[in-house]
């Protein structure tokens, strides 16, 4: 459950990160590949070395989706409908991995925002990422 | 037995040398109680946990956070036998404190986030991986005596 304050906080954080979407996204992915090597199995078709063009492009895509979702959190199911279909029928990423990515995104935010990533922001962001992941997995079965 | 590369040992030791226990301990435990509020169930006797501000300024939580963080020292000093290092603490958490072992992982995740905030970009993906591996071994050791 996200309060109005938390939704605004989340939206403002993602809005501020939009210009560095590719940096934030690729860093979160790199952290995930290093910490949870099993996640690399979904990327055998890409060059996932640090800051590779593939990784920057892919990281940017993911962050821009997080930005878009944050603009109207109560409408996540509508906003993410195409991505739901993609993940359910084509990508079929095991949803446990969404949790792993979410954790690495929180770490990335902490590294880049320092003190501004307050406990309240941390809690709100964790809730948002969990909700986002849950919606992404909705069409799986 | 867990195998540690030299790079991993170096990374883990580095993190510990940078660790301000008196600040990171309280903040990690506070974040755990704020981000995962159900963990507050184990802290009924700790006074005011009503909201984030209360938790962050609660001296009992702060003291306990420092205690818990120092609990990692024994793993750092026994990296080649972390499993057995926590036998008694595992029994304590299971038989006396009745803590769901899932909670160890939640606290570990919060600790990683706090350390990331302190070290910034010095906390590289490789450092995160080594430290996360260390914490997962500790978490597993703490859960061993549950039955």
């Amino acid at each position: 459950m996200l309060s109005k304050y938390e939704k605004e906080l989340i939206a403002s954080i993602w809005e501020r990160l939009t210009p560095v979407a590719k940096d934030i996204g690729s860093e979160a992915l790199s952290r995930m590949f290093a910490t949870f090597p099993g996640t690399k199995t979904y990327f055998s078709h890409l060059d996932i070395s640090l800051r590779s063009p593939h990784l920057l492009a892919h990281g940017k895509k993911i962050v821009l989706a997080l930005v878009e979702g944050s603009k109207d959190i109560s409408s996540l199911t509508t906003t993410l409908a195409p991505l739901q279909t993609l993940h359910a029928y084509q990508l079929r990423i095991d949803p446990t991995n969404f949790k792993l990515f979410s954790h690495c995104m929180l770490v990335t935010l902490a590294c880049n925002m320092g003190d501004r990533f307050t406990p309240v922001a941390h809690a709100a962001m964790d809730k948002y990422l969990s909700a986002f992941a849950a919606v992404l997995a909705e069409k799986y079965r | 037995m867990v195998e540690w590369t030299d790079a991993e040992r170096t990374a883990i030791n580095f993190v510990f040398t940078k660790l301000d226990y008196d600040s990171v301990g309280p903040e990690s435990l506070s974040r755990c109680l704020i981000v995962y509020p159900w963990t507050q169930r184990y802290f009924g006797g700790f006074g005011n946990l009503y909201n984030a501000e209360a938790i962050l300024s609660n001296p009992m939580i702060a003291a306990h956070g420092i205690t818990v963080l120092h609990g990692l020292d024994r793993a750092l000093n026994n990296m080649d036998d972390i499993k057995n290092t926590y036998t008694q603490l595992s029994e304590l958490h299971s038989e006396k404190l009745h803590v769901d072992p899932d909670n160890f992982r939640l606290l570990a995740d919060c600790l990683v986030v706090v350390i990331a905030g302190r070290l910034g970009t010095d906390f590289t993906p490789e450092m995160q991986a080594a430290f996360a591996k260390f914490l997962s071994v500790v978490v597993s050791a703490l859960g061993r005596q549950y039955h």
Side-chain angles (χ1 to χ4, degrees):
Chain A
M1 243 178 31
L2 284 161
S3 68
K4 184 162 166 282
Y5 171 74
E6 285 174 315
K7 288 182 187 177
E8 285 165 9
L9 180 58
I10 292 159
S12 76
I13 290 173
W14 286 116
E15 205 201 321
R16 239 181 305 123
L17 292 173
T18 309
V20 288
K22 68 181 193 310
D23 306 292
I24 296 291
S26 64
E27 186 183 328
L29 284 167
S30 292
R31 288 182 181 283
M32 186 182 71
F33 296 142
T35 313
F36 309 108
T39 55
K40 290 191 287 189
T41 58
Y42 292 99
F43 292 87
S44 50
H45 61 295
L46 292 183
D47 167 15
I48 53 171
S49 55
L50 199 66
R51 295 190 67 82
S52 75
H54 283 172
L55 201 62
L56 289 166
H58 202 74
K60 184 176 177 185
K61 252 193 274 186
I62 297 176
V63 169
L64 291 183
L66 288 166
V67 169
E68 206 48 42
S70 75
K71 291 178 181 165
D72 188 2
I73 295 174
S74 30
S75 306
L76 267 182
T77 309
T78 316
T79 313
L80 297 181
L83 283 174
Q84 284 179 316
T85 309
L86 179 72
H87 283 77
Y89 298 109
Q90 262 181 271
L91 303 177
R92 291 174 293 186
I93 298 171
D94 189 316
T96 327
N97 296 288
F98 299 154
K99 284 207 184 93
L100 306 181
F101 180 76
S102 297
H103 171 69
C104 291
M105 178 53 79
L106 292 176
V107 174
T108 303
L109 293 175
C111 282
N112 287 280
M113 291 173 63
D115 287 339
R116 281 180 303 132
F117 193 58
T118 63
V120 169
H122 176 176
M125 193 55 77
D126 192 38
K127 287 196 270 184
Y128 173 63
L129 294 174
S130 305
F132 197 97
V135 169
L136 265 187
E138 257 173 21
K139 289 186 178 149
Y140 273 53
R141 55 177 179 172
Chain B
M1 206 194 78
V2 183
E3 299 285 331
W4 303 99
T5 65
D6 287 339
E8 285 171 333
R9 287 181 197 267
T10 305
I12 293 161
N13 278 291
F14 175 79
V15 172
F16 273 94
T17 57
K18 295 285 174 188
L19 217 54
D20 175 3
Y21 285 77
D22 292 343
S23 156
V24 171
E27 192 177 332
S28 303
L29 183 58
S30 298
R31 279 188 187 245
C32 191
L33 297 170
I34 293 165
V35 179
Y36 310 111
W38 54 91
T39 57
Q40 292 170 25
R41 74 191 301 285
Y42 302 107
F43 294 87
F46 278 65
N48 185 2
L49 302 180
Y50 190 63
N51 53 32
E53 292 75 32
I55 293 169
L56 287 162
S57 56
N58 184 316
M60 289 176 76
I61 294 292
H64 197 68
I66 299 172
T67 305
V68 167
L69 192 57
H70 275 294
L72 289 179
D73 291 342
R74 56 186 87 191
L76 183 67
N77 297 322
N78 284 290
M79 277 183 62
D80 294 314
D81 191 21
I82 294 178
K83 207 163 63 167
N84 292 313
T85 304
Y86 285 103
T87 308
Q88 280 155 322
L89 272 178
S90 179
E91 270 168 27
L92 173 76
H93 284 77
S94 160
E95 304 303 309
K96 227 186 125 212
L97 305 175
H98 306 293
V99 175
D100 181 342
D102 273 348
N103 292 285
F104 305 145
R105 202 184 29 86
L106 298 181
L107 180 58
D109 284 352
C110 286
L111 178 57
V112 172
V113 170
V114 172
I115 288 170
R118 298 284 196 276
L119 297 181
T121 41
D122 282 350
F123 193 55
T124 62
E126 290 69 37
M127 202 178 287
Q128 179 186 344
F131 197 68
K133 178 177 166 182
F134 173 78
L135 289 178
S136 75
V137 175
V138 172
V139 163
S140 163
L142 274 175
R144 274 191 93 228
Q145 304 307 319
Y146 280 67
H147 61 91

